[in-house]
């Protein structure tokens, strides 16, 4: 399946590249519901994707230091509910950051609102 992608954030993006931000998105590391002191999780990338059928997804890749020189983590990909597209754009964005743990890492609807081209990508 082919996807169109709007990159909101990429940890490795350079200035003027899609997804660039001076801000780093991270959160305390948790295991079994408990915060592990001195460890943090970070976002490798956060994007919105759409497939050929017009279905949209929120995707966020998280990582943390797994020890012995490697990182652990995974990618969360959640379908954006179709009914959210009937909301006003501001309400839509407030809901969007609740998917894929985006708000946990510090993404806010106000920041997404400033992303040039996102509104059009989403069809608003």
């Amino acid at each position: 399946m082919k996807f169109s992608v709007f990159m909101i954030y990429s940890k490795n993006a350079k200035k003027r590249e899609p997804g660039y931000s001076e801000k780093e998105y991270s959160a305390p590391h948790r295991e079994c519901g408990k915060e592990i002191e001195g460890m943090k999780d970070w976002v490798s990338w956060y994007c919105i994707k759409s497939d050929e059928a017009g279905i949209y997804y929120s995707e966020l890749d998280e990582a943390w230091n797994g020890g012995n020189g490697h990182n652990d983590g995974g990618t969360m990909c959640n379908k954006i509910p179709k009914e959210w597209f009937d909301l006003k754009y501001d309400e839509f964005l407030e809901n969007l950051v609740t998917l894929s743990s985006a708000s946990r890492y510090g993404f806010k609807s106000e920041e997404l609102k400033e992303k040039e081209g996102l509104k059009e990508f989403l069809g608003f």
Side-chain angles (χ1 to χ4, degrees):
M1 182 173 293
K2 187 176 179 180
F3 288 95
S4 296
V5 177
F6 186 96
M7 188 60 63
I8 293 171
Y9 173 75
S10 174
K11 184 174 179 63
N12 296 323
K14 304 218 180 338
K15 219 174 208 172
R16 292 186 280 286
E17 289 180 343
Y20 173 78
S21 175
E22 289 184 15
K23 182 177 177 180
E24 182 179 295
Y25 293 90
S26 62
H29 183 73
R30 293 182 183 167
E31 290 184 19
C32 301
K34 291 182 73 176
E35 203 172 289
I36 307 299
E37 192 172 328
M39 281 186 75
K40 70 176 184 171
D41 301 348
W42 65 87
V43 175
S44 298
W45 75 79
Y46 175 41
C47 67
I48 305 301
K49 301 180 353 179
S50 68
D51 65 17
E52 295 164 332
I55 298 171
Y56 288 82
Y57 304 84
S58 168
E59 183 175 280
L60 184 142
D61 185 77
E62 64 180 354
W64 55 86
N65 184 328
N68 297 324
H70 78 276
N71 294 332
D72 287 337
T75 303
M76 293 172 274
C77 187
N78 297 95
K79 190 184 294 187
I80 300 172
K82 190 173 182 122
E83 59 271 13
W84 287 8
F85 289 90
D86 295 331
L87 299 171
K88 293 183 177 169
Y89 188 58
D90 289 354
E91 291 176 89
F92 175 90
L93 294 178
E94 288 173 21
N95 287 345
L96 185 60
V97 296
T98 68
L99 292 176
S100 304
S101 294
S103 60
R104 175 178 181 261
Y105 287 101
F107 289 96
K108 299 189 181 327
S109 61
E110 296 81 20
E111 290 174 282
L112 298 186
K113 193 174 182 178
E114 294 174 9
K115 292 289 181 183
E116 191 173 319
L118 179 59
K119 186 174 186 177
E120 293 77 14
F121 180 82
L122 292 165
F124 279 87

